[in-house]
Amino acid sequence: MSALQLLTAVPVPFASRIEGPHQRWAAMWFPLVGLALGGLLLGFDLILAPVLPAPPRTALVLLLLALLTRFIHIDGLMDTFDGAFAIGSREERLAMMRDPRVGAFGVGGGVLVLLAKYALLAAMPDVLRSAALVLTPTVGRWAATQAIGLWPYARREGLGTGYAPVSRAAVLAVSTLLALGSAYLLAEWDGLIAAGIATLAAAAVSGLLYARFGGLTGDSYGAIVEIGEVACVASLLGAATLTASGV
């Protein structure tokens, strides 16, 4: 319930009681929340399929995902770009991430990442589109779990500190089982490869952000979700392209 409360706009009963130990285990269930989101996206896409071609359907699907997640990951992505590319000390860059104003780096990064997801999903062949819609949010949130479990937090306080795992090994093991199991069931080896590529992308981004900030933040986790999603859907489209060309 804590993971659902954090990652979505879905009303959670007794939300005020979801704190402390519940938060500490929340990252374990991030892939499960991603699966639920993906299921909603797929259902919405299937409803629109008889009346709309793939490009406008894709735009509406991405809008639905943003609304279901309260734009939290896109906001984190833009704040992260603003801070990561800023000139100044570590403290100044961290302060810039908390600035409610969005700069050129943030706007540009947000637009480009959303454009990439749109282009990749719109070009996805029908044979893989359903799997991509479900798997992409699942893998993206699993990437955030890895970041939470493997990298230190950059601040002494902040939203992310409440979600530091009680047992990193248990959280990573269960979330990995959920994510990889879903990936194989949805797209077999293509799904596992997509999950692996998303993991590499998340690790690369995490390493770069660690170098810039000395750790990760809640905004960093949002950026990793978005970039993990792009890596996942790009891998799936690449696999479909290679299959179609007979490679």
Side-chain angles (χ1 to χ4, degrees):
M1 298 294 278
S2 185
L4 192 66
Q5 179 189 26
L6 174 66
L7 297 180
T8 75
V10 176
V12 177
F14 313 112
S16 61
R17 302 180 189 175
I18 301 175
E19 55 187 13
H22 299 285
Q23 288 182 335
R24 299 295 182 184
W25 293 105
M28 178 185 292
W29 308 112
F30 282 7
L32 201 57
V33 174
L35 269 176
L37 290 169
L40 291 174
L41 298 184
L42 175 58
F44 185 61
D45 190 66
L46 292 175
I47 291 171
L48 295 177
V51 294
L52 288 176
R57 283 201 336 263
T58 299
L60 292 174
V61 162
L62 291 177
L63 175 60
L64 176 62
L65 179 60
L67 291 172
L68 288 172
T69 57
R70 297 173 291 140
F71 288 79
I72 187 172
H73 307 310
I74 297 172
D75 178 70
L77 174 80
M78 293 191 295
D79 287 342
T80 298
F81 269 70
D82 275 340
F85 290 99
I87 298 174
S89 67
R90 170 183 175 274
E91 290 71 22
E92 289 171 333
R93 290 193 294 270
L94 284 170
M96 186 167 290
M97 292 175 72
R98 283 185 164 170
D99 191 329
R101 295 168 296 183
V102 181
F105 291 122
V107 172
V111 169
L112 290 173
V113 167
L114 287 173
L115 183 60
K117 279 202 288 188
Y118 167 79
L120 292 164
L121 278 172
M124 191 71 64
D126 290 340
V127 68
L128 265 181
R129 182 177 174 89
S130 294
L133 288 173
V134 179
L135 186 56
T136 297
T138 305
V139 168
R141 280 143 195 83
W142 177 49
T145 300
Q146 295 173 66
I148 292 171
L150 296 174
W151 295 88
Y153 201 70
R155 296 189 176 104
R156 293 182 179 179
E157 77 289 333
L159 178 63
T161 58
Y163 291 86
V166 174
S167 170
R168 295 175 186 271
V171 166
L172 289 170
V174 173
S175 65
T176 297
L177 182 62
L178 288 170
L180 295 185
S182 302
Y184 186 77
L185 288 173
L186 288 166
E188 298 184 342
W189 289 106
D190 288 344
L192 292 178
I193 292 170
I197 289 175
T199 295
L200 293 175
V205 172
S206 297
L208 290 171
L209 295 178
Y210 178 80
R212 294 295 284 168
F213 301 113
L216 305 187
T217 68
D219 286 326
S220 303
Y221 302 149
I224 287 166
V225 168
E226 293 292 329
I227 292 170
E229 288 183 344
V230 171
C232 177
V233 72
S235 176
L236 289 172
L237 181 58
T241 303
L242 290 174
T243 300
S245 64
V247 177

